[in-house]
Amino acid sequence: QVQIVESGGGLVQAGGSLRLSCKVSGLNIGDHAMHWFRQAPGKEREGVACISRGVISSVRGGFTISRDNAKNAAFLEMDSLKPEDTAMYYCATDRYGVCKASPFPEDWGQGTQVTVSS
């Protein structure tokens, strides 16, 4: 059984930074692409970043997604945060090893809340 636990969320002022962590058990993440999604109140869940297998880190806007296969963990470094980044952030494994325009997230964590104050 795959278990995913996110951590690192919290309250931060605009312009600040946070580093989210995603610890996975029951699955070797080295074989899978990994995702971070987020969902703000009243909005649909949206993809934040994806990292394919074999890739150590990837930058998208002010966010850096990375992975440590030895620790079976993924991370999301968020800089220059804005109030509109306020959301529940979820980590997910992908069915496949490569990030695609239409992802196939399979296993999800419970999420970690990020709140950015203005």
Side-chain angles (χ1 to χ4, degrees):
Q1 182 179 0
V2 178
Q3 291 188 326
I4 299 176
V5 178
E6 302 98 332
S7 62
L11 175 63
V12 63
Q13 288 188 332
S17 300
L18 280 175
R19 184 174 190 255
L20 307 184
S21 298
C22 166
K23 178 63 177 174
V24 181
S25 59
L27 180 81
N28 179 8
I29 71 165
D31 297 327
H32 298 265
M34 295 294 295
H35 297 273
W36 284 96
F37 290 86
R38 69 184 182 187
Q39 187 167 19
K43 296 187 177 181
E44 293 188 356
R45 189 173 296 185
E46 63 176 352
V48 175
C50 178
I51 186 167
S52 298
R53 67 183 178 193
V55 177
I56 301 302
S57 67
S58 178
V59 179
R60 179 181 176 184
F63 294 174
T64 301
I65 185 171
S66 60
R67 65 195 300 153
D68 185 335
N69 292 338
K71 295 181 179 180
N72 227 35
F75 308 93
L76 183 69
E77 186 81 33
M78 303 186 291
D79 298 317
S80 302
L81 284 163
K82 305 172 185 176
E84 50 264 43
D85 294 318
T86 295
M88 185 71 79
Y89 283 71
Y90 299 91
C91 177
T93 61
D94 195 279
R95 181 185 304 178
Y96 303 108
V98 179
C99 297
K100 302 179 180 180
S102 297
F104 290 84
E106 288 198 314
D107 301 298
W108 295 82
Q110 295 299 307
T112 185
Q113 177 68 38
V114 171
T115 303
V116 184
S117 64
S118 58

